[in-house]
Amino acid sequence: MGDHDTVRARPRAALRADDPWTALYLLNTDRPGPLAGAVEELYRSDADHTAFRPYLTWLLRSLGEPGDAVLLRLLAAPGLTADDRQDLLRASVVRGLRLPAELLRTYAQDAPASSGGNAGTGGSPAPELVDAMGLSGDPSFAPYLGALLDDPAAPRCRAALALGRLGARAWTEPIAGRLSEVTGLDHTAFSVALELMDDPAAVPHLLRWLAESSEERVYDVHHALVQLTGRDPLLPERASGAAYAAAVRAAWADGRTERAPAAVRDLVVESGALARFSVDEGASRIRFAFDPPSPGSSWPRWDRSLTFDRKPLYRLGSVCDTCELGLTLLDWPDDEAARIAARMRGRLADLDRLDTTLLAEWSPVLGELETGHYRALLLDLPLEQVAEPARSWWYRRAAARAEEDGDDGNRPEYDRPEYDRPEDYWPGVAHFQLTAPVPGGRVPFTYGALLPSQPPEAFDPAALARHAAAVAAGERPAAVVLGWIDDRYVEALHEERWLVGAILDGHHRLAAYAAAGVPARVLLLARVGGGSGADGGLEGLAEVAAAYGCRE
């Protein structure tokens, strides 16, 4: 059998397996180009392709750019059935593909509609068609999408998001003016659409609606105001419900939208290893931010990233507390990140306690953080440097959970431990981690990982040697880490807690500590009470401080 026939036979065999999903998952995709071509042949020629359509489009979505090219060719092919077209369109939306505007106009005339009619004959268009128009980059779709805002049977939230993605600012005020008509996720979607529009014309509408809106809608409006004005007023720590809504309304009651200079307030040193402070009107150069909504998703706010100057550094994953925490490196920040953190370096050379003078001296740097309430912990963390996925807690915790669960025979093959690949859990970069889970905690396992903000391969050997000598001489230079506690109840079965941090300054120091086997002196800055899902939980921080707090 020739090479082409072998590549074509593998997906065919997987599709005809007793469990096609498992067979496709296990299919070797090291050569996505030839495999994508084989899937295209099956889609075009196999008499049974209708039965396999969901599998084939899923496989194309998993093959990256070669799969994208096939999706575009199939969508342009004449004679597609309505079901084929709808399924391929959904796949292209999930992949974020920009489809030709003329193709979408044709589909708008005769594509199957969500209400049972046709878009061209008065019915509501299918949601995936609305999403595709928003991804097209073609502003000529804006009037069509705007008309859907008044149709209760239409996917109005998807239309609002599509207009936001197109940057169709003529529709800013119509979207803002309809906030009072929508609730729940639709209200969130309309608010996010205004954020995508990035149009100051929405601000007066948001301020008026904030004064009138019900308690459960206040967060959406406040978030949109912060995004559109840059002003981020400090709210009470851990406020919720009616108290949170009242605090938000009070913060915006004077109508001021200009950001004031950042201020570090309420500085209290509780011990040499623990202090607290608040940042009001923080510059937010380093912050946790929601990602733009994924095309096709029903959740307008879901995934988050750690950003520097709005440039994503790490993807943090979803806010779902039963989902698994996983970090993914996206990009490195500009050199300004290191320059900002270096402004703290003079007092870090041999730091053995926190005091008010020290933190006040660092106020200009702390003001670069996101608005909120913070804890500063001076810790001695036993760290190791890991460069192999199988040694990382990101994989080892998953393997431990699988072993605890056992095999009850009901889980699909691809969800069993023997099919887990360490690289599937790897954050994409060598990092530092605790040598063991945090001892003495309420949650059975609290793992710890500190991730770099500069490429490890760019570390300076001379700087590493200098810090290694300092550590060997008994000095304790401190690294600065923006950290948080992340609590999960994975699959509603496993309580799991993480101490996670992004290294702002001190990469060479941490490497020297890890190589020497000496606990690393770390100044951890953790935001608490933000309710963002990347929140320094007070219980977890207290457990970390009890285990690793620097002893005076």
Side-chain angles (χ1 to χ4, degrees), residues 165-182:
R165 290 190 180 101
L166 290 172
R169 288 188 168 188
W171 293 92
T172 295
E173 294 189 35
I175 291 172
R178 287 168 172 78
L179 283 170
S180 61
E181 303 172 10
V182 289

Side-chain angles (χ1 to χ4, degrees), residues 9 14 40 85-86 98 109 119 122 145 151 169 197 238 246 289 313-314 342 384 472 497 510 535 551:
E40 181 175 10
R85 183 170 53 204
Q86 190 167 37
R98 178 176 288 193
Q109 292 299 314
L145 295 167
D151 181 0
R169 288 188 168 188
M197 205 77 78
R238 291 184 290 171
L313 174 59
Y314 284 100
E384 59 183 353
R497 176 174 283 166
L510 293 178
D535 180 24
R551 308 300 180 212

Side-chain angles (χ1 to χ4, degrees), residues 284-287 306-314 331-345 348 364-366 368-369 451-455 480-482 502-507 509 525:
S284 293
R285 298 190 67 181
I286 308 163
R287 71 171 301 164
L306 176 65
T307 66
F308 190 90
D309 282 345
R310 297 199 172 191
K311 183 178 182 181
L313 174 59
Y314 284 100
D331 203 350
W332 300 113
D334 299 328
D335 291 342
E336 182 65 12
R339 286 194 289 271
I340 288 174
R343 286 151 59 187
M344 305 173 72
R345 195 170 293 166
L348 296 171
V365 179
L366 301 178
E368 304 283 5
L369 300 174
L451 291 102
S453 59
Q454 59 181 253
V480 182
V481 172
L482 178 65
I503 305 164
L504 301 184
D505 187 59
H507 296 78
R509 280 159 262 167
L525 306 175

Side-chain angles (χ1 to χ4, degrees), residues 114-326:
S114 60
S115 62
N118 288 335
T121 58
S124 294
E128 59 271 9
L129 178 59
V130 173
D131 293 333
M133 289 177 175
L135 292 168
S136 70
D138 190 328
S140 69
F141 287 119
Y144 176 86
L145 295 167
L148 300 178
L149 299 176
D150 289 321
D151 181 0
R156 293 197 293 175
C157 63
R158 309 286 267 271
L161 290 171
L163 288 165
R165 290 190 180 101
L166 290 172
R169 288 188 168 188
W171 293 92
T172 295
E173 294 189 35
I175 291 172
R178 287 168 172 78
L179 283 170
S180 61
E181 303 172 10
V182 289
T183 59
L185 287 177
D186 283 358
H187 186 270
T188 302
F190 272 54
S191 302
V192 171
L194 296 174
E195 296 172 14
L196 293 173
M197 205 77 78
D198 197 24
D199 185 356
V203 172
H205 296 272
L206 289 166
L207 289 171
R208 284 195 296 272
W209 176 231
L210 179 63
E212 304 167 3
S213 62
S214 54
E215 178 183 308
E216 67 274 8
R217 302 182 192 179
V218 165
Y219 175 83
D220 286 333
V221 182
H222 173 63
H223 194 280
L225 283 168
V226 171
Q227 293 296 108
L228 294 174
T229 66
R231 181 177 175 236
D232 194 358
L234 182 66
L235 302 174
E237 185 175 322
R238 291 184 290 171
S240 61
Y244 171 82
V248 170
R249 291 190 179 106
W252 295 95
D254 61 1
R256 181 170 62 88
T257 58
E258 301 82 13
R259 188 175 74 83
V264 177
R265 309 185 186 281
D266 308 321
L267 176 56
V268 177
V269 175
E270 298 184 0
S271 71
L274 177 63
R276 50 189 169 90
F277 62 92
S278 301
V279 178
D280 191 7
E281 298 282 13
S284 293
R285 298 190 67 181
I286 308 163
R287 71 171 301 164
F288 302 99
F290 279 105
D291 296 341
S294 298
S297 172
S298 58
W299 296 92
R301 290 196 179 102
W302 186 250
D303 286 327
R304 302 150 300 130
S305 293
L306 176 65
T307 66
F308 190 90
D309 282 345
R310 297 199 172 191
K311 183 178 182 181
L313 174 59
Y314 284 100
R315 177 169 291 120
L316 307 180
S318 76
V319 295
C320 170
D321 60 6
T322 60
C323 296
E324 190 171 60
L325 173 67

Side-chain angles (χ1 to χ4, degrees), residues 83-104:
D83 287 342
D84 282 341
R85 183 170 53 204
Q86 190 167 37
D87 206 46
L88 291 167
L89 191 58
R90 285 174 181 158
S92 70
V93 165
V94 171
R95 289 291 299 160
L97 301 182
R98 178 176 288 193
L99 300 180
E102 203 53 48
L103 181 69
L104 295 178

